[in-house]
Amino acid sequence: MLLATALLIIGLLLVVYSADRLVFSASILCRLLGVPPLIIGMTVVSVGTSLPEIIVSAAASMHDQVDLAVGTAIGSNIVNILLILGLAALLHPFRVHSDVLRRELPLMLIVSLLAGYVLYDGQLTFSDGIFLLALAVIWLLYIVKLARAAEKQGSDTLTREQVAELPREGNLPVALLWLGVALIIMPMATQMIVDNATVLANYFAMSELTIGLTVIAIGTSLPELATAIAGARKGEDDMAIGNIIGANIFNIAIVLGLPALIAPGAFNPLAFSRDYGVMVVVSAIFALLCWRRKRQIGQGAGALLTVGFVVWMAMLYWLSPLLSG
C-alpha cells in the first residue's frame, strides 16, 4: 500500500512536470512558426493547465476505467474552486478587474449545466464526446476573439498577463528536446497513476470514482495551484482567476469528453446524483463572489472555500462506504 501511494504521487508529479515541459516546447514551436503571442497565450497556455487532467483521463479511458476519468473531471473543478482559489485568497485577496472574466463566468456556468445533460442518464456516448469537444473548440475561438477585441482597446489585463507568461527564449533544438522528454515521461507516468490508483482503490475498498474525485483531482490540479499562488503574489489577479475559469471549462469539455469518445458506456451513477450537484453549487458560489459589487474575493471568502473543501472531503469519506461510492 505504501509503495502504491508513493508511486501514485511520483506519477502525478511526473505528469505535471511533463505537461509543463510540453506547454513550454509547444509555445516555443508556435513562436518559431510565427504564431502571434496572443494566440499562443490564449490557447496553448490555457489548455496547458488542464493538460494533466486530460492525460490522466485519456489513459484511464484506454484502460476502461471511465469512473476514474469522470471523477477526475468533476473533482478537479471542485478542487480548483474550493481548495486552489481558497488557499490563494487566504494568501492575497483577489480583485476581478477584467471585462473578459465577467463575460467568461456565465459561460463556465453554462458549460457546467450542459455537463448535467451529458451525465444525467449515467451513460457516456460517442455523440456526447463529440458535443463536449465541440464546446472546447468553440470556447477557444471565443476567448481568442474576446482577447483580440480587448487588446485593441488596450484595457484588458488578462491578455497582457497571459502573453507575459510565454517563454521569451528558446530555439528549435531546445523545443524538440523538451518535447521528446515530455513524450517519454507522459506514458510512463500515466501508467503509474492508473495502475496504482487501482491498487489503492482495491486496498481501501474505494471506488475508482472516489479516487478520481480526491487523490487524482488534487494531484492533477497542481498547475492551477501554482498559477493561482504565483498570480496572488505578483498581484496578477485576473491571471489566477482566469486560469481557474478556463481549466474548469476544459475539464468538462475535454477531460469529460475524451472518455465518451474512447470508452463510451455506463459510469457510476453517484457521479451525477452526488458529485455533479456539488460541482454546480461551488461553481455558482465562485461566480457570485466574482460578481459582487466589491468584485473581490477576500481572506474571509478564502477561509470559507477552504473549509468547504474539508467538508466535502469528509462527506466523501463518510458517505462513500454507505453509498458504495
Side-chain angles (χ1 to χ4, degrees):
M1 187 272 289
L2 292 177
L3 178 61
T5 302
L7 290 175
L8 177 61
I9 294 172
I10 292 171
L12 287 168
L13 293 175
L14 287 175
V15 163
V16 170
Y17 176 76
S18 59
D20 176 75
R21 294 297 85 191
L22 184 61
V23 172
F24 178 80
S25 61
S27 299
I28 294 175
L29 289 173
C30 288
R31 176 169 55 80
L32 293 175
L33 291 172
V35 178
L38 170 66
I39 304 299
I40 302 173
M42 300 304 289
T43 56
V44 176
V45 176
S46 293
V47 176
T49 54
S50 292
L51 200 52
E53 289 93 338
I54 293 171
I55 296 167
V56 171
S57 174
S61 302
M62 290 177 185
H63 289 80
D64 291 322
Q65 294 175 303
V66 178
D67 285 348
L68 190 65
V70 173
T72 300
I74 297 175
S76 293
N77 279 18
I78 298 172
V79 168
N80 284 345
I81 295 172
L82 293 182
L83 181 63
I84 307 302
L85 185 64
L87 289 177
L90 282 174
L91 294 175
H92 175 79
F94 287 96
R95 182 173 292 277
V96 185
H97 303 98
S98 174
D99 289 333
V100 174
L101 285 180
R102 290 194 290 275
R103 288 193 292 263
E104 289 176 3
L105 278 168
L107 292 178
M108 185 194 74
L109 294 176
I110 291 172
V111 171
S112 298
L113 292 174
L114 289 174
Y117 171 76
V118 171
L119 295 171
Y120 84 97
D121 60 354
Q123 299 277 338
L124 285 178
T125 65
F126 189 81
S127 59
D128 289 335
I130 296 296
F131 170 70
L132 290 171
L133 291 179
L135 287 179
V137 174
I138 292 171
W139 166 247
L140 283 172
L141 294 174
Y142 178 72
I143 60 175
V144 169
K145 179 182 177 181
L146 285 181
R148 283 184 184 277
E151 187 182 42
K152 289 179 181 179
Q153 297 174 0
S155 60
D156 183 55
T157 58
L158 177 60
T159 300
R160 294 194 295 271
E161 291 167 5
Q162 285 274 28
V163 173
E165 294 293 314
L166 296 177
R168 300 180 181 277
E169 300 178 354
N171 50 33
L172 183 59
V174 170
L176 293 178
L177 173 63
W178 284 117
L179 179 62
V181 169
L183 294 179
I184 291 171
I185 293 176
M186 274 184 183
M188 296 187 298
T190 51
Q191 189 68 49
M192 290 172 63
I193 292 171
V194 172
D195 289 347
N196 291 286
T198 303
V199 171
L200 290 177
N202 293 331
Y203 183 85
F204 289 107
M206 298 171 66
S207 70
E208 292 175 359
L209 175 65
T210 303
I211 292 291
L213 286 164
T214 55
V215 178
I216 307 300
I218 294 170
T220 54
S221 294
L222 291 176
E224 286 90 341
L225 176 61
T227 301
I229 292 178
R233 295 180 64 181
K234 296 177 184 178
E236 297 175 349
D237 297 355
D238 285 350
M239 170 67 84
I241 298 175
N243 269 283
I244 289 176
I245 293 174
N248 281 18
I249 291 176
F250 285 127
N251 285 341
I252 296 298
I254 302 180
V255 180
L256 192 59
L258 284 177
L261 288 179
I262 297 172
F267 57 85
N268 192 326
L270 286 175
F272 178 75
S273 62
R274 180 192 63 191
D275 307 312
Y276 169 73
V278 175
M279 185 192 78
V280 171
V281 169
V282 300
S283 297
I285 292 172
F286 174 40
L288 290 174
L289 288 173
C290 292
W291 282 335
R292 288 189 305 173
R293 184 172 299 178
K294 293 182 179 179
R295 293 176 183 168
Q296 181 170 316
I297 302 176
Q299 291 178 322
L304 289 176
L305 291 173
T306 306
V307 170
F309 173 78
V310 175
V311 170
W312 179 59
M313 287 287 105
M315 182 191 77
L316 287 177
Y317 177 78
W318 290 107
L319 293 184
S320 289
L322 297 176
L323 299 174
S324 301

